[in-house]
Amino acid sequence: MNIQPIQNDISLRGKNTPWKKFKNRIVQKGIDMFPVKTADGSENAMRRRSRIDDEISKPAQNRGILGATALITQPVIDACNHKVDKETRQVSVNRTIAKILAGTLVGMFVVRGPVYKAVVKMTDIKGARRIDRALIPKKYMSEMAQNEKFLRNYRSALSMSIALLAMCITNFFLDAPLTTFLTNRFNEKTGGKHD
């Protein structure tokens, strides 16, 4: 990777100055210190990457990854908000954790996981019953039979779409009450106020 010289900066103030040239040279030396590496193209590595890709592209696993990331980052952001008093900050952290847990648990185990399993059963190319192929468009039937990756991507996209529609309902009937319940429990433990 090489740093390209820039004739004008974004504000169009002129050409590279000696300082910019010197800085670019230093940065280029730093980049050159690292060896040039490419991804391992062996069959085992490709198979392993494909398995990881298949797992994390499933809707339930995807929601779990999002939930874990949110649980690590968002409460810390709320805890660092010094524009509010300490008690409000603690209640905000508790509410954020409750929202993340409720959304992730309902999203993974009540909506996305079961929807994905149902879609897999209803997109079975080799199934003998009519319901086994109910969600496969007829014009893509032969292509999906020949291309397993296309079928897996179709299943993931379809189940995610159906799950999003289902979550329009579950957000009100499951997520919101569970969030309130968990927030109150966390507030009891930390001495905060109740909703």
Side-chain angles (χ1 to χ4, degrees):
M1 183 169 115
N2 292 321
I3 295 177
Q4 300 298 317
I6 299 172
Q7 298 302 320
N8 293 318
D9 63 6
I10 194 119
S11 63
L12 301 173
R13 285 185 287 193
K15 299 189 183 292
N16 281 340
T17 62
W19 166 248
K20 286 182 185 176
K21 288 180 183 177
F22 176 74
K23 186 176 76 169
N24 286 345
R25 246 181 300 171
I26 297 296
V27 170
Q28 185 64 52
K29 293 288 183 191
I31 291 171
D32 290 342
M33 286 178 12
F34 295 101
V36 176
K37 255 189 136 176
T38 57
D40 182 14
S42 68
E43 185 142 341
N44 285 340
M46 296 299 284
R47 202 172 313 127
R48 188 171 54 249
R49 282 190 207 106
S50 179
R51 256 195 328 267
I52 291 170
D53 177 49
D54 290 342
E55 278 304 309
I56 65 173
S57 66
K58 291 179 183 173
Q61 285 81 339
N62 192 287
R63 182 64 180 110
I65 292 168
L66 289 174
T69 305
L71 198 56
I72 292 169
T73 57
Q74 290 180 355
V76 174
I77 294 168
D78 282 346
C80 293
N81 182 9
H82 295 292
K83 293 182 179 178
V84 295
D85 62 284
K86 187 176 179 182
E87 185 180 11
T88 305
R89 191 170 34 240
Q90 184 60 52
V91 170
S92 177
V93 168
N94 291 343
R95 183 128 178 106
T96 299
I97 292 171
K99 279 182 187 177
I100 294 167
L101 287 176
T104 301
L105 294 174
V106 170
M108 281 180 69
F109 299 114
V110 177
V111 179
R112 295 181 192 211
V115 166
Y116 183 77
K117 287 179 183 174
V119 166
V120 167
K121 286 183 180 180
M122 295 175 81
T123 56
D124 184 13
I125 295 286
K126 298 172 184 156
R129 300 176 308 174
R130 186 175 178 182
I131 193 143
D132 291 339
R133 293 181 299 252
L135 295 177
I136 299 176
K138 295 203 185 322
K139 65 180 182 179
Y140 295 123
M141 187 80 73
S142 62
E143 189 175 350
M144 286 184 184
Q146 296 169 1
N147 188 347
E148 182 67 27
K149 184 127 179 103
F150 181 51
L151 179 60
R152 285 193 308 259
N153 288 342
Y154 175 75
R155 285 174 174 165
S156 292
L158 181 63
S159 60
M160 185 66 85
S161 301
I162 294 170
L164 287 174
L165 291 174
M167 285 187 293
C168 291
I169 297 166
T170 61
N171 278 344
F172 297 106
F173 295 108
L174 295 175
D175 287 23
L178 184 58
T179 299
T180 303
F181 173 78
L182 290 173
T183 302
N184 289 336
R185 292 291 165 258
F186 294 154
N187 285 340
E188 284 175 10
K189 299 283 185 198
T190 60
K193 40 188 173 180
H194 290 275
D195 281 344

